[in-house]
Amino acid sequence: GTVRGRPRCGVLQPFYRHPSDPREPKTVTAPRPASLAGLAGVCLFAALAAAPAARAQQAPPRPPAEVTVVEVAPRNTPAQFEATGKTESSRLVEIRARVEGYLDRIAYQEGSIVKEGDLLFQLDPKPFEAALDSARAALAQAQARAVNASATLRRVRPLAQEKALSQKDLDDAVAADLEAQAAVAAAKAQLRTAELNLGYTTIRSPLTGKAGDSAQREGSLVTPGSAGLLTTLVQTDPMWVVFGLGEQDVLRFRSGVAAGTLKTPGQGKVAVEIVLADGRVFPQQGVITYVAPTVDAQIGTVTLRAEVPNPDGSLSPGQFVRTRAVNIELVDALMVPQRAVMQGAKGKFVYVVADGKAEARPVEPGQFYGDQWIITKGLKAGDAVVVDGAIKLAPGAPVKVTGPAK
C-alpha cells in the first residue's frame, strides 16, 4: 500500500508505491517559505506606505490665510512726465566796445553780480570830449551862417518885388538860406554823434545778472566790432530750463488729453518742479513757456522750455537738472501699493479677494506714484486687492481679511 509522508523541514514527502508501479513519482521540493523576520519587514513597509494616506484622510482642513486688503477706488492722481534738462540764462548779453579807445578802468568785480546801470568799463574820454567841443563849434558856425542867409533873403525879397534886383538874385538868396539851414541840421547831427561817442566811453550794465571775466586789460586799445568783446553778462533771475520730452511721452500726453484721461491747467500754466543733481527739489517751481513745433529728427524729442524764478541766484547756467510736471492729473486712476503686485510666469498679477477666496488677477501696471502703482488694466473700482500676506496664497485658497492695509 501507499503511505503519505509527514511534511518536515519544508519538504513535501512523496507517496510511496511499489517500485514496479509505473506511476511512481519523483521527489518534488517545494519553495522554502520566508523567514519570520522577512515577513515582519514586509508588513512594516506596507504599514508605513499606508500611513500618509491615512493621515491625509484624517488631517483637518487648512485654516484661511490672514491678509490685509485695499479697496480699489478711482481718484485723480498727478501724472508723471519727467525729463532731463539743462539750465540756461534767460538773457545773455555780450558787452562790446562801440567806439575805439584805450581802456582806462575795469569798474566791476569779475564773476560778481552786477545791477542794471552799474559801471563796468571806462574808456579814455578825452579824445571824445574834444570831438564834442569841435562839433559844438561847428554848430555855432552853421547857425551864424544861417542867420546871415536869412537876413540876406529878407532884404532881397522886397527889392526883387520892386524889380530893383533880378530874379536870379532872389533865387540865390533863397538857395543860400536853405543851404545854411541844412548846414545847421548837419552840425546838430554831428554834435549828437559826438555826444553819443563820448557816452559810449562809459560802459554800464544793461541788466542785473552775473558778469564774466574781462577780455581786455586796462590800457589796452579796444575797437568796435567782433574784436571789441569786453565781457559777457548772464541774467540769472529768472532762469530757463530747456529739456526734451520723448516722442512716446508726447503721444501719451496728446492721446490722454484727447480721451479725457488727462487733465491740464491750460497752455502757459503747466508747472514743473526742478530736481537738482543731489536729489534736492528746488524751492521755486517753473512754468513751461515754450514748446517746439516740431520733433527733433535726430533724437526723437520735442524741446520745451520752462521759466523758473531764481531770486537768490542759486541756479547757474549749464546745470543738469530733472524736470517733473506737477499739475497734470490722471482722471479716475486706479492705484494699488507696489508690494501688492507680484510677478508670475505670465506677467504681473495681484490677488483679489472674492467670496472669501484668493483669485489671481493679471494686471498691466503703468507709472509709479510714490509707493503706489497705477494700474491701467485688470482691475475695477471696488476690487479688494490683497496687500499683506499675498506671498502665502495660491489661487482658490481661503483667506481671512484682518483689516485694511496700512
Side-chain angles (χ1 to χ4, degrees):
T2 302
V3 180
R4 184 182 297 271
R6 180 179 298 177
R8 192 179 77 180
C9 297
V11 179
L12 295 178
Q13 301 296 326
F15 294 100
Y16 293 95
R17 292 184 176 88
H18 192 275
S20 63
D21 190 344
R23 296 176 300 174
E24 175 65 20
K26 299 182 183 291
T27 303
V28 179
T29 305
R32 183 180 292 271
S35 64
L36 294 177
L39 291 175
V42 171
C43 294
L44 178 61
F45 176 79
L48 291 176
R55 285 197 300 267
Q57 294 176 356
Q58 298 174 359
R62 186 177 180 181
E66 295 185 351
V67 297
T68 62
V69 299
V70 61
E71 184 175 345
V72 178
R75 61 174 176 171
N76 289 3
T77 306
Q80 300 296 309
F81 288 94
E82 296 189 14
T84 300
K86 192 175 182 180
T87 58
E88 292 183 3
S89 170
S90 58
R91 187 180 175 192
L92 185 147
V93 178
E94 293 181 343
I95 304 299
R96 297 180 180 272
R98 295 189 177 185
V99 294
E100 182 175 295
Y102 287 94
L103 183 59
D104 268 1
R105 184 163 65 100
I106 300 174
Y108 74 100
Q109 179 67 38
E110 295 174 301
S112 64
I113 298 291
V114 295
K115 296 185 179 299
E116 183 177 355
D118 285 355
L119 178 63
L120 300 177
F121 300 95
Q122 180 64 60
L123 303 183
D124 182 9
K126 297 181 181 64
F128 300 94
E129 290 172 349
L132 178 59
D133 291 340
S134 177
R136 286 171 178 165
L139 175 60
Q141 290 178 348
Q143 289 172 336
R145 292 190 186 100
V147 170
N148 184 47
S150 297
T152 300
L153 179 60
R154 286 194 299 271
R155 290 193 299 269
V156 169
R157 181 171 279 120
L159 294 173
Q161 290 175 352
E162 296 176 0
K163 305 299 183 180
L165 292 175
S166 66
Q167 184 63 34
K168 182 180 183 304
D169 293 332
L170 177 60
D171 293 342
D172 290 342
V174 172
D177 182 60
L178 294 175
E179 183 178 355
Q181 293 178 13
V184 170
K188 288 181 178 179
Q190 291 297 325
L191 176 62
R192 179 58 181 157
T193 299
E195 291 173 344
L196 288 174
N197 288 339
L198 178 60
Y200 290 153
T201 62
T202 301
I203 302 173
R204 298 184 180 276
S205 173
L207 54 84
T208 298
K210 287 185 179 181
D213 61 337
S214 175
Q216 302 289 343
R217 295 293 99 186
E218 293 170 341
S220 300
L221 176 65
V222 297
T223 57
S226 59
L229 178 65
L230 296 175
T231 190
T232 302
L233 298 181
V234 291
Q235 182 171 324
T236 58
D237 184 25
M239 286 288 290
W240 284 350
V241 178
V242 179
F243 58 97
L245 197 61
E247 188 173 359
Q248 290 184 350
D249 286 336
V250 173
L251 294 176
R252 178 166 62 90
F253 174 81
R254 291 175 178 172
S255 61
V257 172
T261 59
L262 277 180
K263 181 181 179 182
T264 67
Q267 187 175 2
K269 298 179 182 179
V270 177
V272 295
E273 65 179 6
I274 309 301
V275 182
L276 304 178
D278 59 0
R280 292 183 296 114
V281 177
F282 190 66
Q284 302 288 338
Q285 291 185 351
V287 176
I288 295 177
T289 57
Y290 169 76
V291 179
T294 59
V295 177
D296 191 319
Q298 295 183 344
I299 56 178
T301 61
V302 175
T303 300
L304 295 90
R305 185 178 67 212
E307 188 172 291
V308 185
N310 188 33
D312 58 355
S314 57
L315 286 180
S316 298
Q319 287 183 249
F320 285 96
V321 296
R322 288 197 63 79
T323 59
R324 182 185 301 152
V326 295
N327 58 350
I328 300 177
E329 290 186 335
L330 282 170
V331 179
D332 294 338
L334 301 179
M335 296 189 300
V336 297
Q338 294 180 25
R339 64 183 189 274
V341 180
M342 307 183 72
Q343 180 67 45
K346 297 182 179 180
K348 292 181 171 58
F349 70 95
V350 297
Y351 280 112
V352 176
V353 176
D355 298 329
K357 294 184 179 181
E359 175 188 337
R361 185 81 60 82
V363 294
E364 291 184 7
Q367 295 180 318
F368 291 112
Y369 178 67
D371 63 347
Q372 303 286 309
W373 213 335
I374 298 173
I375 304 300
T376 60
K377 187 176 181 181
L379 293 178
K380 62 182 182 298
D383 283 341
V385 176
V386 176
V387 178
D388 299 311
I391 195 66
K392 302 177 294 184
L393 299 180
V399 296
K400 176 183 178 182
V401 178
T402 61
K406 297 180 179 181

